């Protein structure tokens, strides 16, 4: 069975500071991993994804994430937070051969303080 | 492509009334998902279809909820009769499947049952 755990339901950073949102997964098969962002009153939007190949993946808006198999982690980072990054972020896992179902984490709300 | 289209964007109805939410997935996508999002329960998968066939409806909360996908370009989620606790944002998402299974979300329907 697959599962996703996001550590911290709320994260607060100052503008310009490092953003680190944590995601750990459990999967008995090689995972496909995703980060989605949801701005207020909008649907979820894909930030980045890992399927195979390079373990450091870059996404939109300056975000990146690194797949670490040994740690079963896929943490999301951004070197310098911007006020516009305030949103809810979801980590999700799937796997090859699945019909596309994603297992989502509980979500982390990022607050950016001026 | 216009993306995933949902209608209506907002729906206010009285308890006991029938509610029908509609979704048009992205052309060529072969899987479609219905989610519900509330503050209390977060993002929940209700049901998903693959090639118009329901694959997993274990997330449908009660018999009051039903979903159909009569063809590849249209799906409905019906609640009959509606109750105040059904108030939520309902999202539809679609995916092309292989190779990466990323899901594309619609803007959501905000349902309020009074």
């Amino acid at each position: 069975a697959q599962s996703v755990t996001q550590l911290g339901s709320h994260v607060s950073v100052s503008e310009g500071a490092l953003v680190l949102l944590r995601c750990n997964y459990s999967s008995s098969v090689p995972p496909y991993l995703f980060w989605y962002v949801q701005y207020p009153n909008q649907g979820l939007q894909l930030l980045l994804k890992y399927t195979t190949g390079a373990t450091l993946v870059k996404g939109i808006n300056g975000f990146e994430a690194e797949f670490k198999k040994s740690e079963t982690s896929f943490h999301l980072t951004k070197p310098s937070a911007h006020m516009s990054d305030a949103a809810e972020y979801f980590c999700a896992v799937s796997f090859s051969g699945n019909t596309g179902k994603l297992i989502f984490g509980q979500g982390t709300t990022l607050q950016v303080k001026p | 492509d216009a993306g995933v289209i949902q209608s209506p964007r907002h729906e206010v109805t009285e308890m006991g009334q029938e509610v029908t939410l509609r979704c048009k997935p992205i052309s060529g996508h072969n899987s479609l998902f219905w989610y519900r999002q509330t503050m209390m329960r977060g993002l929940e998968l209700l049901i998903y279809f693959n090639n118009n066939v329901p694959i997993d409806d274990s997330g449908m909360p009660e018999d009051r909820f039903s979903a159909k996908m009569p063809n590849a370009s249209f799906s409905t989620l019906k609640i009959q009769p509606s109750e105040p606790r059904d108030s939520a944002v309902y999202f539809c998402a679609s995916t092309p499947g292989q190779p990466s299974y990323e899901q594309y979300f619609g803007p959501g329907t905000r349902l309020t049952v009074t």
Side-chain angles (χ1 to χ4, degrees), chain A residues 32 34 36 38 41-44 46 49 51 88 90 94-102 104, chain B residues 9 31 33 35 37 43 45 48 50 55-56 91 95 98-103 105-107 110:
Chain A
Y32 292 174
F34 306 82
Y36 282 82
Q38 184 180 27
N41 300 314
Q42 295 187 24
L44 279 69
L46 183 69
K49 64 183 180 185
T51 53
E88 188 161 19
F90 293 90
S94 183
F95 58 91
S96 179
N98 187 8
T99 46
K101 179 179 178 179
L102 294 179
F104 280 93
Chain B
R9 293 293 311 277
S31 290
F33 303 79
Y35 294 89
Q37 187 176 40
L43 188 66
L45 176 64
Y48 76 97
N50 181 249
I55 301 299
D56 183 356
F91 289 105
T95 179
Q98 291 277 15
S100 62
Y101 301 108
E102 60 189 88
Q103 291 186 14
F105 281 74
R110 182 173 296 275

Side-chain angles (χ1 to χ4, degrees), chain B:
Chain B
D1 201 316
V4 175
I5 299 172
Q6 292 188 247
S7 65
R9 293 293 311 277
H10 301 273
E11 176 80 38
V12 180
T13 190
E14 292 183 348
M15 181 174 61
Q17 296 298 307
E18 178 180 295
V19 175
T20 299
L21 312 182
R22 298 173 175 80
C23 176
K24 176 179 169 55
I26 294 173
S27 177
H29 284 194
N30 59 11
S31 290
L32 181 142
F33 303 79
W34 282 102
Y35 294 89
R36 178 172 68 176
Q37 187 176 40
T38 61
M39 290 291 291
M40 290 295 295
R41 301 174 69 92
L43 188 66
E44 303 173 275
L45 176 64
L46 300 178
I47 184 172
Y48 76 97
F49 298 82
N50 181 249
N51 294 323
N52 311 338
V53 176
I55 301 299
D56 183 356
D57 65 354
S58 60
M60 296 286 262
E62 299 171 33
D63 292 345
R64 299 185 295 106
F65 286 69
S66 62
K68 294 182 179 180
M69 192 164 186
N71 56 62
S73 59
F74 183 66
S75 177
T76 59
L77 178 67
K78 186 177 294 186
I79 308 172
Q80 166 62 22
S82 58
E83 297 182 4
R85 59 192 167 126
D86 301 330
S87 297
V89 181
Y90 291 81
F91 289 105
C92 176
S94 68
T95 179
Q98 291 277 15
S100 62
Y101 301 108
E102 60 189 88
Q103 291 186 14
Y104 296 77
F105 281 74
T109 295
R110 182 173 296 275
L111 173 65
T112 303
V113 183
T114 61

